[in-house]
Amino acid sequence: MPISKELAVRILKYLLDNPSFYFPFKIVCINFDEDDELYDVEVSQEMLDEVLNNDDFKDFELVENLQHLDLQTLQLMSKGFIEKIINENAIDSIEQSAKGYRELWKMNLCESVNIEEYGLNEFFGGKAEGFEELLEILKEHISKNYE
């Protein structure tokens, strides 16, 4: 799975600060050949400094390294899968609400002199905008978490 340099640095810092945490992935820098010693990004302060200071470290990937699946690792992986399922259901629901309210909103009623017609149309438009903004924020939040 491709990850950004910023996320690679965050992961390295976390793993350095939490040495007993088992991270079931290797970080690799695909700017180097697999035979190059800099391809596998080791969890060390020296490697973190190298990644931060060397412009050759640009593109990273996570590669599975499922050697020691302890209880905590399994729980975290399970949470990730469940979160993905729940977030997709939430996104689908929000998208449907946004589309539904957007279909109810009518451009020609924006200048209606009938206050009830105008008010209801504004209500539908406001709901549609709210759901659309929520969808945008949620998608942005999810994508930032996986960069």
Side-chain angles (χ1 to χ4, degrees):
M1 174 178 128
I3 60 171
S4 66
K5 181 174 183 170
E6 292 77 20
L7 184 54
V9 167
R10 283 181 68 183
I11 292 169
L12 284 172
K13 285 180 180 178
Y14 183 85
L15 296 175
L16 284 170
D17 291 342
N18 300 279
S20 64
F21 179 77
Y22 174 67
F23 188 60
F25 301 95
K26 291 190 313 186
I27 301 170
V28 297
C29 182
I30 58 174
N31 303 107
F32 300 100
D33 292 331
E34 287 187 40
D35 298 331
D36 194 309
E37 66 180 33
L38 296 176
Y39 177 77
D40 282 327
V41 178
E42 296 175 14
V43 179
S44 68
Q45 187 61 50
E46 295 79 23
M47 184 57 85
L48 175 60
D49 294 339
E50 184 77 26
V51 169
L52 287 169
N53 298 318
N54 186 337
D55 291 336
D56 291 335
F57 286 90
K58 297 176 192 161
D59 303 306
F60 295 85
E61 284 187 355
L62 291 180
V63 178
E64 64 89 8
N65 186 23
L66 303 172
Q67 310 248 335
H68 309 289
L69 288 179
D70 59 10
L71 180 60
Q72 182 184 28
T73 303
L74 288 171
Q75 288 173 334
L76 287 170
M77 290 172 71
S78 299
K79 281 183 180 181
F81 283 108
I82 291 168
E83 184 179 294
K84 169 106 173 121
I85 292 165
I86 290 171
N87 284 341
E88 284 189 10
N89 289 341
I91 288 172
D92 288 345
S93 176
I94 293 166
E95 280 179 337
Q96 288 174 1
S97 294
K99 286 177 186 176
Y101 281 111
R102 186 54 64 201
E103 288 172 3
L104 292 172
W105 179 80
K106 305 294 181 214
M107 176 70 110
N108 64 329
L109 294 179
C110 289
E111 297 182 23
S112 175
V113 291
N114 180 328
I115 193 70
E116 288 180 15
E117 216 175 51
Y118 174 82
L120 186 59
N121 194 55
E122 286 297 298
F123 171 78
F124 292 148
K127 291 286 258 186
E129 284 180 27
F131 280 112
E132 290 162 354
E133 288 176 17
L134 174 60
L135 189 59
E136 194 174 304
I137 291 167
L138 185 58
K139 284 181 177 179
E140 185 177 310
H141 174 74
I142 290 170
S143 69
K144 280 184 181 177
N145 284 338
Y146 296 105
E147 285 182 352

